[in-house]
Amino acid sequence: MSFSLSGLFSNEIAIDLGTRNTLVFVKGKGILVREPSMVAIRKSDRKVIAIGTEAREMLGKTHRDLEVIRPMRDGVIDDDEVAEIMIRALIRKAQTNRLLRPRVIVCVPSGVTKSEKRIIRDSAEHAGAREVFLIAEPMAAALGVGLPVLDPIGNMVIDIGGGTTEIAVIALGGIITDTSIRVGGDELDEAIIQFMRRNYNLLIGERTAEEIKTRIGSAAKLEQELSIVAKGRDLVEGVPKAVEINSIEIRDAIEEPISQIVDAVKNALEKTPPELAADIRDRGIIMTGGGALIRGLDVRLREETSLPVFLAEDPLTCVVRGTGKVLDDMETYHKVLLPN
């Protein structure tokens, strides 16, 4: 495969198509779009009412003819039609010259199937892309962090998104071993929702669960435990209700998905060739993605693996920044792209 610089004067776009959020990077301009991966649709005629932040504001507050859809599930497209609408709208928002169809690189989970690849390519092409390339999320994350992925050195990345956790050992421009589990921020939120239902007879929505997770969620003991007032609907009496909960309770509530992530990291380490394992021992593990922001997760992984674990700077944008790096120098980084 060879590339030229003929696309220099056309639109070239990198998309981190996430379960929770979609980020769009434009060559030469940086990250221009950062929106929730949500679309509000009117059921009666399937008309799009809102996309991104506007759609998220409607979540849990819609009437019977309005539906807020998340077209991404577990890191891949779940609703082709709505995903295409969302991708087209976000590409248009980022484009500086709409007369030119953009070259697009889309980030995908390392465990993506052939059929899922095809759906993503088709959606991007139907949304207006003239060429579509795919890159594995952990590879993009490693590039975004600034790891020397083309060198004969072992680099380990854990990318925790809304729908998946991607763990990969990278060297010489390729993924040597990878572990992809469909556990991420969504599963943590769902665990909190079920905990509140089971322990307090309180029904809360996705946004409230995410707020609880962000404000008091943790994967390891905190020096000073935190608390928050959670509001929802009483399942017994059917009236609004508020209860105070603490970080100890929420840590117990999310223990199962956190343990799945820890076990996946251990499994990935067991599969790592010894020479690369030695590099990782010296260099440590880098965590990226929104899920990596859970308090104490680095501490928990350090305790469980006895390895240095570091949280990347601005972990939410590592993947799209790494993909943007490929856009900037396709000739150097073409080997990191996934085959068709």
Side-chain angles (χ1 to χ4, degrees):
M1 185 185 294
S2 63
F3 297 94
S4 71
L5 299 179
S6 60
L8 185 62
F9 300 104
S10 62
N11 288 343
E12 298 190 51
I13 293 174
I15 302 177
D16 178 8
L17 193 59
T19 303
R20 283 291 183 87
N21 298 287
T22 295
L23 287 78
V24 181
F25 179 104
V26 176
K27 184 175 179 177
K29 295 182 179 294
I31 301 170
L32 296 189
V33 176
R34 190 185 311 206
E35 296 275 5
S37 302
M38 294 184 183
V39 180
I41 300 282
R42 191 161 61 201
K43 294 180 184 179
S44 57
D45 56 5
R46 302 297 289 174
K47 181 180 178 182
V48 176
I49 303 300
I51 290 174
T53 303
E54 288 184 24
R56 187 180 187 278
E57 292 298 318
M58 300 178 183
L59 188 63
K61 301 177 182 180
T62 57
H63 52 75
R64 66 181 63 185
D65 192 37
L66 198 61
E67 180 182 14
V68 176
I69 298 173
R70 293 174 57 185
M72 305 294 297
R73 290 287 176 188
D74 299 329
V76 294
I77 292 175
D78 182 57
D79 188 318
D80 303 10
E81 179 188 354
V82 176
E84 186 181 315
I85 291 169
M86 183 182 75
I87 294 169
R88 180 182 289 112
L90 298 180
I91 286 177
R92 283 186 176 180
K93 192 170 183 178
Q95 276 182 299
T96 54
N97 186 345
R98 294 186 182 179
L99 296 177
L100 295 169
R101 298 179 67 194
R103 170 193 279 172
V104 174
I105 304 180
V106 184
C107 305
V108 296
S110 57
V112 68
T113 65
K114 287 184 178 179
S115 61
E116 288 168 343
K117 281 184 188 179
R118 188 184 66 253
I119 291 169
I120 292 168
R121 287 183 190 278
D122 289 348
S123 293
E125 286 173 357
H126 293 159
R130 64 181 169 90
E131 284 184 290
V132 180
F133 301 98
L134 304 181
I135 184 172
E137 287 172 358
M139 177 65 79
L143 283 165
V145 171
L147 297 179
V149 301
L150 300 180
D151 295 345
I153 299 171
N155 303 279
M156 189 169 189
V157 176
I158 305 169
D159 181 56
I160 307 172
T164 61
T165 294
E166 308 283 326
I167 306 151
V169 176
I170 298 166
L172 293 169
I175 293 177
I176 309 301
T177 65
D178 71 294
T179 302
S180 179
I181 59 170
R182 301 207 166 181
V183 176
D186 285 353
E187 282 67 31
L188 298 177
D189 292 349
E190 182 60 28
I192 292 171
I193 290 171
Q194 294 306 320
F195 170 82
M196 298 304 296
R197 176 191 290 266
R198 188 171 57 248
N199 290 64
Y200 289 100
N201 288 320
L202 187 71
L203 182 63
I204 62 172
E206 290 180 28
R207 291 182 64 181
T208 301
E210 185 177 4
E211 182 184 3
I212 292 170
K213 176 187 69 180
T214 302
R215 291 181 59 181
I216 66 171
S218 67
K221 288 183 180 179
L222 303 176
E223 288 185 10
Q224 183 173 355
E225 299 294 349
L226 307 169
S227 63
I228 189 176
V229 174
K231 300 174 183 178
R233 175 164 58 84
D234 190 307
L235 286 168
V236 177
E237 299 184 7
V239 297
K241 178 181 174 181
V243 297
E244 184 174 353
I245 52 174
N246 61 52
S247 51
I248 299 172
E249 293 175 285
I250 297 306
R251 186 160 57 248
D252 289 341
I254 63 175
E255 173 57 28
E256 184 176 344
I258 291 291
S259 292
Q260 288 178 286
I261 293 171
V262 171
D263 290 344
V265 173
K266 289 181 178 178
N267 181 49
L269 287 167
E270 288 172 4
K271 296 190 297 183
T272 302
E275 295 296 332
L276 297 177
D279 290 339
I280 294 166
R281 177 77 188 178
D282 294 337
R283 298 169 59 80
I285 302 170
I286 301 292
M287 295 197 311
T288 67
L293 292 168
I294 283 284
R295 288 179 184 83
L297 184 55
D298 55 341
V299 174
R300 174 77 174 270
L301 287 170
R302 214 173 288 137
E303 290 173 350
E304 298 272 0
T305 65
S306 300
L307 294 172
V309 180
F310 308 100
L311 178 63
E313 184 179 345
D314 195 8
L316 286 163
T317 66
C318 287
V319 169
V320 79
R321 284 189 285 115
T323 310
K325 197 170 183 178
V326 178
L327 272 184
D328 287 338
D329 192 354
M330 289 280 274
E331 291 180 354
T332 297
Y333 292 109
H334 68 87
K335 66 171 66 176
V336 306
L337 297 172
L338 294 176
N340 291 336

mmCIF file of all heavy atoms in Angstrom, residues 141-184:
data_model
loop_
_atom_site.group_PDB
_atom_site.id
_atom_site.type_symbol
_atom_site.label_atom_id
_atom_site.label_comp_id
_atom_site.label_asym_id
_atom_site.label_seq_id
_atom_site.Cartn_x
_atom_site.Cartn_y
_atom_site.Cartn_z
ATOM 1 N N ALA A 141 -4.460 5.188 20.508
ATOM 2 C CA ALA A 141 -4.215 5.727 21.845
ATOM 3 C C ALA A 141 -2.716 5.802 22.128
ATOM 4 O O ALA A 141 -2.223 6.792 22.682
ATOM 5 C CB ALA A 141 -4.906 4.858 22.899
ATOM 6 N N ALA A 142 -1.979 4.758 21.740
ATOM 7 C CA ALA A 142 -0.531 4.738 21.951
ATOM 8 C C ALA A 142 0.146 5.876 21.194
ATOM 9 O O ALA A 142 1.039 6.551 21.715
ATOM 10 C CB ALA A 142 0.041 3.389 21.526
ATOM 11 N N LEU A 143 -0.303 6.108 19.965
ATOM 12 C CA LEU A 143 0.235 7.217 19.176
ATOM 13 C C LEU A 143 -0.104 8.555 19.829
ATOM 14 O O LEU A 143 0.719 9.472 19.863
ATOM 15 C CB LEU A 143 -0.324 7.164 17.758
ATOM 16 C CG LEU A 143 0.301 6.127 16.820
ATOM 17 C CD1 LEU A 143 -0.581 5.922 15.588
ATOM 18 C CD2 LEU A 143 1.699 6.548 16.402
ATOM 19 N N GLY A 144 -1.328 8.662 20.340
ATOM 20 C CA GLY A 144 -1.757 9.905 20.980
ATOM 21 C C GLY A 144 -0.960 10.228 22.231
ATOM 22 O O GLY A 144 -0.727 11.399 22.557
ATOM 23 N N VAL A 145 -0.527 9.190 22.938
ATOM 24 C CA VAL A 145 0.280 9.375 24.143
ATOM 25 C C VAL A 145 1.721 9.733 23.782
ATOM 26 O O VAL A 145 2.448 10.326 24.578
ATOM 27 C CB VAL A 145 0.240 8.085 25.006
ATOM 28 C CG1 VAL A 145 1.220 8.150 26.154
ATOM 29 C CG2 VAL A 145 -1.166 7.854 25.535
ATOM 30 N N GLY A 146 2.121 9.348 22.561
ATOM 31 C CA GLY A 146 3.495 9.622 22.136
ATOM 32 C C GLY A 146 4.434 8.450 22.293
ATOM 33 O O GLY A 146 5.651 8.616 22.303
ATOM 34 N N LEU A 147 3.878 7.222 22.403
ATOM 35 C CA LEU A 147 4.720 6.037 22.544
ATOM 36 C C LEU A 147 5.396 5.703 21.210
ATOM 37 O O LEU A 147 4.824 5.921 20.139
ATOM 38 C CB LEU A 147 3.879 4.845 23.007
ATOM 39 C CG LEU A 147 3.216 4.980 24.384
ATOM 40 C CD1 LEU A 147 2.393 3.746 24.700
ATOM 41 C CD2 LEU A 147 4.268 5.196 25.472
ATOM 42 N N PRO A 148 6.614 5.140 21.254
ATOM 43 C CA PRO A 148 7.347 4.814 20.024
ATOM 44 C C PRO A 148 6.845 3.500 19.406
ATOM 45 O O PRO A 148 7.541 2.477 19.433
ATOM 46 C CB PRO A 148 8.788 4.693 20.518
ATOM 47 C CG PRO A 148 8.660 4.209 21.925
ATOM 48 C CD PRO A 148 7.402 4.852 22.471
ATOM 49 N N VAL A 149 5.672 3.530 18.816
ATOM 50 C CA VAL A 149 5.022 2.296 18.353
ATOM 51 C C VAL A 149 5.740 1.636 17.182
ATOM 52 O O VAL A 149 5.532 0.445 16.928
ATOM 53 C CB VAL A 149 3.543 2.564 17.979
ATOM 54 C CG1 VAL A 149 2.771 3.095 19.163
ATOM 55 C CG2 VAL A 149 3.441 3.509 16.789
ATOM 56 N N LEU A 150 6.553 2.375 16.443
ATOM 57 C CA LEU A 150 7.251 1.806 15.288
ATOM 58 C C LEU A 150 8.574 1.157 15.676
ATOM 59 O O LEU A 150 9.186 0.455 14.864
ATOM 60 C CB LEU A 150 7.503 2.882 14.223
ATOM 61 C CG LEU A 150 6.263 3.577 13.645
ATOM 62 C CD1 LEU A 150 6.670 4.607 12.608
ATOM 63 C CD2 LEU A 150 5.285 2.570 13.045
ATOM 64 N N ASP A 151 9.021 1.367 16.898
ATOM 65 C CA ASP A 151 10.314 0.847 17.346
ATOM 66 C C ASP A 151 10.185 -0.580 17.884
ATOM 67 O O ASP A 151 9.082 -1.016 18.253
ATOM 68 C CB ASP A 151 10.889 1.750 18.459
ATOM 69 C CG ASP A 151 11.207 3.145 17.950
ATOM 70 O OD1 ASP A 151 11.257 3.323 16.715
ATOM 71 O OD2 ASP A 151 11.397 4.053 18.783
ATOM 72 N N PRO A 152 11.303 -1.318 17.965
ATOM 73 C CA PRO A 152 11.270 -2.682 18.523
ATOM 74 C C PRO A 152 11.249 -2.657 20.049
ATOM 75 O O PRO A 152 12.109 -3.231 20.725
ATOM 76 C CB PRO A 152 12.559 -3.299 17.967
ATOM 77 C CG PRO A 152 13.489 -2.148 17.820
ATOM 78 C CD PRO A 152 12.632 -0.983 17.419
ATOM 79 N N ILE A 153 10.264 -1.963 20.586
ATOM 80 C CA ILE A 153 10.118 -1.800 22.040
ATOM 81 C C ILE A 153 8.674 -2.131 22.408
ATOM 82 O O ILE A 153 7.738 -1.709 21.726
ATOM 83 C CB ILE A 153 10.430 -0.345 22.472
ATOM 84 C CG1 ILE A 153 11.873 0.029 22.124
ATOM 85 C CG2 ILE A 153 10.171 -0.154 23.965
ATOM 86 C CD1 ILE A 153 12.171 1.501 22.319
ATOM 87 N N GLY A 154 8.487 -2.884 23.483
ATOM 88 C CA GLY A 154 7.140 -3.225 23.913
ATOM 89 C C GLY A 154 6.458 -2.067 24.616
ATOM 90 O O GLY A 154 7.012 -1.475 25.544
ATOM 91 N N ASN A 155 5.249 -1.726 24.153
ATOM 92 C CA ASN A 155 4.428 -0.673 24.769
ATOM 93 C C ASN A 155 3.072 -1.282 25.107
ATOM 94 O O ASN A 155 2.461 -1.937 24.261
ATOM 95 C CB ASN A 155 4.209 0.491 23.797
ATOM 96 C CG ASN A 155 5.510 1.095 23.309
ATOM 97 O OD1 ASN A 155 6.116 1.902 23.984
ATOM 98 N ND2 ASN A 155 5.948 0.704 22.111
ATOM 99 N N MET A 156 2.587 -1.064 26.324
ATOM 100 C CA MET A 156 1.277 -1.600 26.706
ATOM 101 C C MET A 156 0.312 -0.460 27.005
ATOM 102 O O MET A 156 0.626 0.452 27.769
ATOM 103 C CB MET A 156 1.386 -2.508 27.918
ATOM 104 C CG MET A 156 0.092 -3.256 28.227
ATOM 105 S SD MET A 156 0.331 -4.559 29.451
ATOM 106 C CE MET A 156 -1.272 -5.387 29.383
ATOM 107 N N VAL A 157 -0.859 -0.554 26.378
ATOM 108 C CA VAL A 157 -1.886 0.477 26.514
ATOM 109 C C VAL A 157 -3.195 -0.159 26.949
ATOM 110 O O VAL A 157 -3.579 -1.220 26.444
ATOM 111 C CB VAL A 157 -2.096 1.215 25.174
ATOM 112 C CG1 VAL A 157 -3.237 2.213 25.286
ATOM 113 C CG2 VAL A 157 -0.832 1.933 24.749
ATOM 114 N N ILE A 158 -3.862 0.495 27.888
ATOM 115 C CA ILE A 158 -5.231 0.108 28.274
ATOM 116 C C ILE A 158 -6.130 1.280 27.925
ATOM 117 O O ILE A 158 -5.983 2.370 28.495
ATOM 118 C CB ILE A 158 -5.330 -0.182 29.787
ATOM 119 C CG1 ILE A 158 -4.302 -1.229 30.222
ATOM 120 C CG2 ILE A 158 -6.742 -0.628 30.148
ATOM 121 C CD1 ILE A 158 -4.181 -1.364 31.731
ATOM 122 N N ASP A 159 -7.038 1.080 26.988
ATOM 123 C CA ASP A 159 -7.964 2.139 26.585
ATOM 124 C C ASP A 159 -9.364 1.751 27.044
ATOM 125 O O ASP A 159 -9.950 0.787 26.538
ATOM 126 C CB ASP A 159 -7.932 2.338 25.064
ATOM 127 C CG ASP A 159 -8.858 3.450 24.613
ATOM 128 O OD1 ASP A 159 -8.708 4.583 25.122
ATOM 129 O OD2 ASP A 159 -9.748 3.194 23.776
ATOM 130 N N ILE A 160 -9.895 2.492 28.016
ATOM 131 C CA ILE A 160 -11.210 2.171 28.599
ATOM 132 C C ILE A 160 -12.230 3.188 28.102
ATOM 133 O O ILE A 160 -12.182 4.363 28.470
ATOM 134 C CB ILE A 160 -11.151 2.186 30.131
ATOM 135 C CG1 ILE A 160 -10.007 1.289 30.631
ATOM 136 C CG2 ILE A 160 -12.481 1.717 30.715
ATOM 137 C CD1 ILE A 160 -9.747 1.380 32.121
ATOM 138 N N GLY A 161 -13.118 2.736 27.254
ATOM 139 C CA GLY A 161 -14.138 3.611 26.694
ATOM 140 C C GLY A 161 -15.492 3.370 27.318
ATOM 141 O O GLY A 161 -15.619 2.752 28.378
ATOM 142 N N GLY A 162 -16.533 3.845 26.646
ATOM 143 C CA GLY A 162 -17.882 3.674 27.158
ATOM 144 C C GLY A 162 -18.380 2.248 27.038
ATOM 145 O O GLY A 162 -19.102 1.752 27.903
ATOM 146 N N GLY A 163 -17.985 1.572 25.945
ATOM 147 C CA GLY A 163 -18.507 0.232 25.702
ATOM 148 C C GLY A 163 -17.485 -0.873 25.753
ATOM 149 O O GLY A 163 -17.843 -2.041 25.905
ATOM 150 N N THR A 164 -16.198 -0.548 25.589
ATOM 151 C CA THR A 164 -15.167 -1.585 25.564
ATOM 152 C C THR A 164 -13.930 -1.162 26.342
ATOM 153 O O THR A 164 -13.684 0.029 26.536
ATOM 154 C CB THR A 164 -14.715 -1.910 24.121
ATOM 155 O OG1 THR A 164 -14.167 -0.723 23.527
ATOM 156 C CG2 THR A 164 -15.860 -2.422 23.265
ATOM 157 N N THR A 165 -13.179 -2.159 26.756
ATOM 158 C CA THR A 165 -11.830 -1.943 27.278
ATOM 159 C C THR A 165 -10.872 -2.666 26.352
ATOM 160 O O THR A 165 -11.008 -3.873 26.131
ATOM 161 C CB THR A 165 -11.690 -2.479 28.712
ATOM 162 O OG1 THR A 165 -12.517 -1.698 29.586
ATOM 163 C CG2 THR A 165 -10.262 -2.382 29.196
ATOM 164 N N GLU A 166 -9.946 -1.907 25.787
ATOM 165 C CA GLU A 166 -8.974 -2.456 24.828
ATOM 166 C C GLU A 166 -7.600 -2.486 25.496
ATOM 167 O O GLU A 166 -7.112 -1.457 25.958
ATOM 168 C CB GLU A 166 -8.899 -1.561 23.592
ATOM 169 C CG GLU A 166 -10.237 -1.258 22.949
ATOM 170 C CD GLU A 166 -10.750 -2.421 22.137
ATOM 171 O OE1 GLU A 166 -9.925 -3.136 21.545
ATOM 172 O OE2 GLU A 166 -11.964 -2.615 22.109
ATOM 173 N N ILE A 167 -6.993 -3.652 25.512
ATOM 174 C CA ILE A 167 -5.667 -3.808 26.105
ATOM 175 C C ILE A 167 -4.755 -4.375 25.031
ATOM 176 O O ILE A 167 -5.060 -5.415 24.441
ATOM 177 C CB ILE A 167 -5.707 -4.759 27.320
ATOM 178 C CG1 ILE A 167 -6.761 -4.278 28.337
ATOM 179 C CG2 ILE A 167 -4.342 -4.857 27.986
ATOM 180 C CD1 ILE A 167 -7.374 -5.369 29.144
ATOM 181 N N ALA A 168 -3.641 -3.709 24.766
ATOM 182 C CA ALA A 168 -2.768 -4.169 23.681
ATOM 183 C C ALA A 168 -1.304 -3.955 24.017
ATOM 184 O O ALA A 168 -0.936 -2.984 24.679
ATOM 185 C CB ALA A 168 -3.115 -3.426 22.391
ATOM 186 N N VAL A 169 -0.504 -4.891 23.536
ATOM 187 C CA VAL A 169 0.950 -4.753 23.562
ATOM 188 C C VAL A 169 1.377 -4.470 22.124
ATOM 189 O O VAL A 169 1.043 -5.215 21.205
ATOM 190 C CB VAL A 169 1.635 -6.018 24.090
ATOM 191 C CG1 VAL A 169 3.158 -5.882 24.006
ATOM 192 C CG2 VAL A 169 1.210 -6.284 25.531
ATOM 193 N N ILE A 170 2.102 -3.373 21.950
ATOM 194 C CA ILE A 170 2.414 -2.856 20.618
ATOM 195 C C ILE A 170 3.924 -2.765 20.433
ATOM 196 O O ILE A 170 4.647 -2.338 21.337
ATOM 197 C CB ILE A 170 1.772 -1.471 20.424
ATOM 198 C CG1 ILE A 170 0.245 -1.568 20.518
ATOM 199 C CG2 ILE A 170 2.198 -0.841 19.107
ATOM 200 C CD1 ILE A 170 -0.454 -0.240 20.678
ATOM 201 N N ALA A 171 4.401 -3.162 19.246
ATOM 202 C CA ALA A 171 5.813 -2.991 18.886
ATOM 203 C C ALA A 171 5.930 -3.075 17.375
ATOM 204 O O ALA A 171 5.117 -3.749 16.709
ATOM 205 C CB ALA A 171 6.683 -4.065 19.542
ATOM 206 N N LEU A 172 6.897 -2.379 16.797
ATOM 207 C CA LEU A 172 7.192 -2.433 15.364
ATOM 208 C C LEU A 172 5.966 -2.127 14.498
ATOM 209 O O LEU A 172 5.759 -2.731 13.444
ATOM 210 C CB LEU A 172 7.781 -3.801 14.996
ATOM 211 C CG LEU A 172 9.171 -4.087 15.580
ATOM 212 C CD1 LEU A 172 9.548 -5.549 15.382
ATOM 213 C CD2 LEU A 172 10.216 -3.178 14.944
ATOM 214 N N GLY A 173 5.144 -1.204 14.970
ATOM 215 C CA GLY A 173 4.001 -0.764 14.181
ATOM 216 C C GLY A 173 2.831 -1.717 14.151
ATOM 217 O O GLY A 173 1.896 -1.540 13.360
ATOM 218 N N GLY A 174 2.831 -2.728 15.007
ATOM 219 C CA GLY A 174 1.727 -3.687 15.024
ATOM 220 C C GLY A 174 1.323 -4.059 16.437
ATOM 221 O O GLY A 174 2.055 -3.821 17.405
ATOM 222 N N ILE A 175 0.133 -4.642 16.550
ATOM 223 C CA ILE A 175 -0.359 -5.121 17.845
ATOM 224 C C ILE A 175 0.091 -6.571 18.000
ATOM 225 O O ILE A 175 -0.307 -7.438 17.221
ATOM 226 C CB ILE A 175 -1.891 -4.989 17.929
ATOM 227 C CG1 ILE A 175 -2.292 -3.507 17.928
ATOM 228 C CG2 ILE A 175 -2.415 -5.671 19.186
ATOM 229 C CD1 ILE A 175 -3.788 -3.262 17.935
ATOM 230 N N ILE A 176 0.934 -6.813 18.993
ATOM 231 C CA ILE A 176 1.479 -8.160 19.212
ATOM 232 C C ILE A 176 0.442 -9.048 19.898
ATOM 233 O O ILE A 176 0.179 -10.164 19.466
ATOM 234 C CB ILE A 176 2.766 -8.095 20.070
ATOM 235 C CG1 ILE A 176 3.757 -7.075 19.486
ATOM 236 C CG2 ILE A 176 3.381 -9.484 20.182
ATOM 237 C CD1 ILE A 176 4.196 -7.338 18.072
ATOM 238 N N THR A 177 -0.117 -8.563 20.981
ATOM 239 C CA THR A 177 -1.217 -9.273 21.645
ATOM 240 C C THR A 177 -2.287 -8.248 21.991
ATOM 241 O O THR A 177 -1.977 -7.095 22.300
ATOM 242 C CB THR A 177 -0.766 -9.971 22.949
ATOM 243 O OG1 THR A 177 -0.350 -8.989 23.915
ATOM 244 C CG2 THR A 177 0.394 -10.922 22.691
ATOM 245 N N ASP A 178 -3.529 -8.665 21.909
ATOM 246 C CA ASP A 178 -4.604 -7.745 22.279
ATOM 247 C C ASP A 178 -5.716 -8.497 22.988
ATOM 248 O O ASP A 178 -5.966 -9.664 22.712
ATOM 249 C CB ASP A 178 -5.150 -6.999 21.053
ATOM 250 C CG ASP A 178 -5.938 -7.914 20.131
ATOM 251 O OD1 ASP A 178 -5.304 -8.818 19.544
ATOM 252 O OD2 ASP A 178 -7.166 -7.753 20.012
ATOM 253 N N THR A 179 -6.339 -7.805 23.905
ATOM 254 C CA THR A 179 -7.495 -8.318 24.632
ATOM 255 C C THR A 179 -8.562 -7.240 24.583
ATOM 256 O O THR A 179 -8.301 -6.099 24.968
ATOM 257 C CB THR A 179 -7.146 -8.644 26.096
ATOM 258 O OG1 THR A 179 -6.088 -9.602 26.131
ATOM 259 C CG2 THR A 179 -8.353 -9.187 26.842
ATOM 260 N N SER A 180 -9.720 -7.593 24.089
ATOM 261 C CA SER A 180 -10.825 -6.635 23.978
ATOM 262 C C SER A 180 -12.032 -7.213 24.703
ATOM 263 O O SER A 180 -12.505 -8.299 24.347
ATOM 264 C CB SER A 180 -11.154 -6.377 22.503
ATOM 265 O OG SER A 180 -12.242 -5.473 22.381
ATOM 266 N N ILE A 181 -12.492 -6.514 25.737
ATOM 267 C CA ILE A 181 -13.687 -6.969 26.447
ATOM 268 C C ILE A 181 -14.763 -5.887 26.354
ATOM 269 O O ILE A 181 -14.444 -4.699 26.348
ATOM 270 C CB ILE A 181 -13.396 -7.320 27.923
ATOM 271 C CG1 ILE A 181 -12.841 -6.112 28.692
ATOM 272 C CG2 ILE A 181 -12.447 -8.497 28.011
ATOM 273 C CD1 ILE A 181 -12.755 -6.330 30.192
ATOM 274 N N ARG A 182 -15.996 -6.311 26.272
ATOM 275 C CA ARG A 182 -17.090 -5.354 26.125
ATOM 276 C C ARG A 182 -17.582 -4.924 27.499
ATOM 277 O O ARG A 182 -18.735 -5.138 27.890
ATOM 278 C CB ARG A 182 -18.184 -5.960 25.249
ATOM 279 C CG ARG A 182 -17.590 -6.306 23.887
ATOM 280 C CD ARG A 182 -18.534 -6.314 22.740
ATOM 281 N NE ARG A 182 -17.777 -6.336 21.481
ATOM 282 C CZ ARG A 182 -18.313 -6.332 20.283
ATOM 283 N NH1 ARG A 182 -19.620 -6.285 20.136
ATOM 284 N NH2 ARG A 182 -17.568 -6.344 19.200
ATOM 285 N N VAL A 183 -16.642 -4.312 28.209
ATOM 286 C CA VAL A 183 -16.896 -3.746 29.537
ATOM 287 C C VAL A 183 -16.273 -2.365 29.554
ATOM 288 O O VAL A 183 -15.105 -2.202 29.185
ATOM 289 C CB VAL A 183 -16.264 -4.604 30.661
ATOM 290 C CG1 VAL A 183 -16.471 -3.930 32.011
ATOM 291 C CG2 VAL A 183 -16.850 -6.004 30.671
ATOM 292 N N GLY A 184 -17.046 -1.364 29.945
ATOM 293 C CA GLY A 184 -16.528 0.001 29.995
ATOM 294 C C GLY A 184 -17.405 0.867 30.883
ATOM 295 O O GLY A 184 -18.058 0.382 31.812
#
